[in-house]
Amino acid sequence: MVLGVMPSTMYAQSDLFGKDFASAKLLFIDHGNPNGIDSLDMTNGLEVAYRRNFGKYLSLALPMKFAQADVHNDLNKRNFFSVDALLRLQYYEPEHIIVPYLFGGAGYVFEVDGENNNQIPLGLGIDIRVGRSSYLNLQGEYRISSLENRNNM
């Protein structure tokens, strides 16, 4: 009896890995090139996110970012915190090694000692399976801001 219950419980747990995801990412942010500066000037940040799959073609991601922005014509780097809601179009199957996707959504950026602003993130990416429920993620994103000199990659 106990052996019959264990596989059932284990199957339910592995099924959850295909629906709910938590992630952490290192960010490389460039406020220079999208605003007309010739040189690449990146700053770093950290993102933590929750994602929920709604089948194999659609998911909702809720990332939070903590980073610095090197804003054009500003002497100091600006610390900021942002929250996004992203819809992700994907082709996800739990057994696939590679999961490509496109995404878009809305975000809000809170700048320390600066102006808060709305942003529209758009991008594409790929998840590469490196473990049973672990992925390496490569993502490119362009963010359109409601403030001048805040568009970024």
Side-chain angles (χ1 to χ4, degrees):
M1 265 325 223
V2 174
L3 292 176
V5 173
M6 289 300 284
S8 173
T9 303
M10 292 171 72
Y11 177 77
Q13 289 175 342
S14 67
D15 187 47
L16 286 176
F17 286 120
K19 293 181 183 172
D20 296 293
F21 293 86
S23 66
K25 294 181 189 178
L26 179 60
L27 304 173
F28 301 94
I29 303 165
D30 182 10
H31 279 77
N33 282 335
N35 294 302
I37 299 172
D38 294 331
S39 65
L40 190 66
D41 193 10
M42 287 200 219
T43 56
N44 291 44
L46 179 66
E47 173 186 299
V48 293
Y50 166 77
R51 192 177 90 226
R52 173 78 175 178
N53 278 345
F54 298 104
K56 64 182 177 180
Y57 300 113
L58 183 67
S59 67
L60 173 67
L62 303 170
M64 293 182 294
K65 296 176 177 137
F66 309 89
Q68 283 189 335
D70 192 3
V71 178
H72 181 57
N73 290 333
D74 195 343
L75 296 177
N76 300 316
K77 292 183 179 176
R78 295 177 184 248
N79 294 319
F80 70 87
F81 167 76
S82 71
V83 179
D84 298 338
L86 306 172
L87 282 179
R88 179 172 140 153
L89 299 174
Q90 63 194 6
Y91 185 63
Y92 173 79
E93 290 283 352
E95 67 276 359
H96 284 178
I97 293 173
I98 296 175
V99 180
Y101 62 90
L102 300 169
F103 68 91
Y108 195 75
V109 176
F110 304 90
E111 285 188 13
V112 176
D113 299 325
E115 294 183 57
N116 299 338
N117 61 95
N118 298 310
Q119 294 190 352
I120 299 171
L122 303 166
L124 54 90
I126 188 168
D127 289 334
I128 303 166
R129 180 190 304 275
V130 294
R132 189 181 128 214
S133 59
S134 301
Y135 292 84
L136 172 67
N137 174 262
L138 301 171
Q139 177 176 298
E141 174 176 322
Y142 187 78
R143 299 179 69 88
I144 303 165
S145 177
S146 61
L147 282 181
E148 189 175 336
N149 292 325
R150 297 303 193 280
N151 294 352
N152 64 85
M153 289 194 279

